[in-house]
Amino acid sequence: MQCLYSYFCRNMFNKPSPLQLIEDELLAKREITLFVKRDDLIHPQISGNKWRKLKYNLRAAKQQQQKRLLTFGGAYSNHIAATAAAGNIFGFETIGVIRGELVKPLNPTLDLAQQQGMKFVFVGRKEYREEKAEIAIRLQDELGSCYVIPEGGSNTLAVKGCAEIVAEVQEQLDDVPDYFCVSSGTGGTAAGLVVGLARMSLVKVFPALKGNFILDEINSLIWEFSGESYDNWQLISNYNFGGYTKWNQQLIDFINDFSAKFKLQIDPIYTGKLFYGVWNEIEKGSFKDNSTIVVIHTGGLQGILGFNQRFGNLLNYNL
Ligand SMILES: *Cc1c(COP(=O)(O)O)cnc(C)c1O
């Protein structure tokens, strides 16, 4: 089913993704209008920002007549799941270089990826951290040429894809909001919003990982893509709950309550922390009264199954 440009293929994707108005006492009190950009609804397997980041990479891979995609990720990675599904739909073989050892049975993320035809190469954590470029070269010697996509999918083509969020929202609102809020891991989505906005509104970035490395990461993605620097964005770094995949009961309660109240599923790794942060920041008065906020739902819901399996069915809201 090789359909990158076909009519059929366009219809498999829910684009433009809906913009959902959220109504709540807290928002009413501050006269804030808040929308969620539902990129989680773009596609059941290639969800959210992973579709936006893959789009132009898939096109480039086709143009280069590559048959294989090679990429990197952790064992629960949304990007791994999305790349496997995209390969299956668009007719690429997929190789996933996975951080850590093979654990059997496969967790839900890798199981799904394998069902979509992805082949795995497991590498130790140190090697994974330090030698991705060498690993890619070695594997291409063995397997033949591959189109290499970085961990998390963030490169300049990903920035280009994510920049399209802005034009979509602008058309849906017939205006630009005062703020965009987005979660970040490798920073491609945040960089896309910033360049797409061309300085029109402020982007508040809520990192899911500890450490300020993401500041440089986002700035360099922006620079590589546009050759410019922008200052209409900021990091809100105090909602990572101790680091990537870390959580506490407060976060779990928030996600269960939020999901039940707004009939909106959020994930514990990225969007749960994002919405927790946004709600707290609204309470603290960090957003102007009377403003309009668009929060990007970047998807990632496939991760809930693995999270519940690891930690014991903590996310148990009924939609
Ligand atoms: C991958 C992912 C992110 C992080 O996106 P980056 O572009 O890597 O910053 C955020 N939210 C979800 C749900 C994701 O899967």
Side-chain angles (χ1 to χ4, degrees), residues 40 47-50 53 76-79 151-154 158 162 182-192 205-209 214 218 221 244 267 269-272 274 296-302:
D40 57 309
S47 86
N49 62 346
K50 299 307 183 283
K53 297 206 275 186
Y76 293 89
S77 160
N78 296 328
H79 169 66
E151 182 180 41
S154 289
C162 292
V182 69
S183 174
S184 80
T186 54
T189 313
V205 181
F206 293 71
L209 284 79
I214 193 67
I218 293 172
L221 282 163
Y244 191 60
D267 82 291
I269 314 297
Y270 295 102
T271 53
L274 167 68
I296 312 297
H297 193 320
T298 37
L301 301 176
Q302 70 86 27

Side-chain angles (χ1 to χ4, degrees), residues 266-284:
I266 51 179
D267 82 291
I269 314 297
Y270 295 102
T271 53
K273 294 177 181 180
L274 167 68
F275 278 100
Y276 184 99
V278 169
W279 247 247
N280 264 270
E281 292 296 310
I282 292 172
E283 265 169 1
K284 279 169 41 187

Side-chain angles (χ1 to χ4, degrees), residues 165-176:
I165 297 171
V166 176
E168 267 179 45
V169 168
Q170 211 172 345
E171 193 164 324
Q172 287 168 316
L173 282 181
D174 210 11
D175 200 356
V176 273

Side-chain angles (χ1 to χ4, degrees), residues 29-67:
K29 199 170 80 190
R30 299 226 173 248
E31 295 179 52
I32 283 174
T33 310
L34 187 143
F35 294 95
V36 179
K37 178 69 171 158
R38 297 290 307 272
D39 275 8
D40 57 309
L41 298 176
I42 289 178
H43 189 274
Q45 273 117 29
I46 317 176
S47 86
N49 62 346
K50 299 307 183 283
W51 162 243
R52 297 199 185 264
K53 297 206 275 186
L54 282 169
K55 177 179 167 188
Y56 289 107
N57 279 293
L58 294 171
R59 225 170 251 191
K62 274 263 175 337
Q63 275 159 6
Q64 294 169 22
Q65 301 184 325
Q66 301 274 9
K67 294 193 175 61

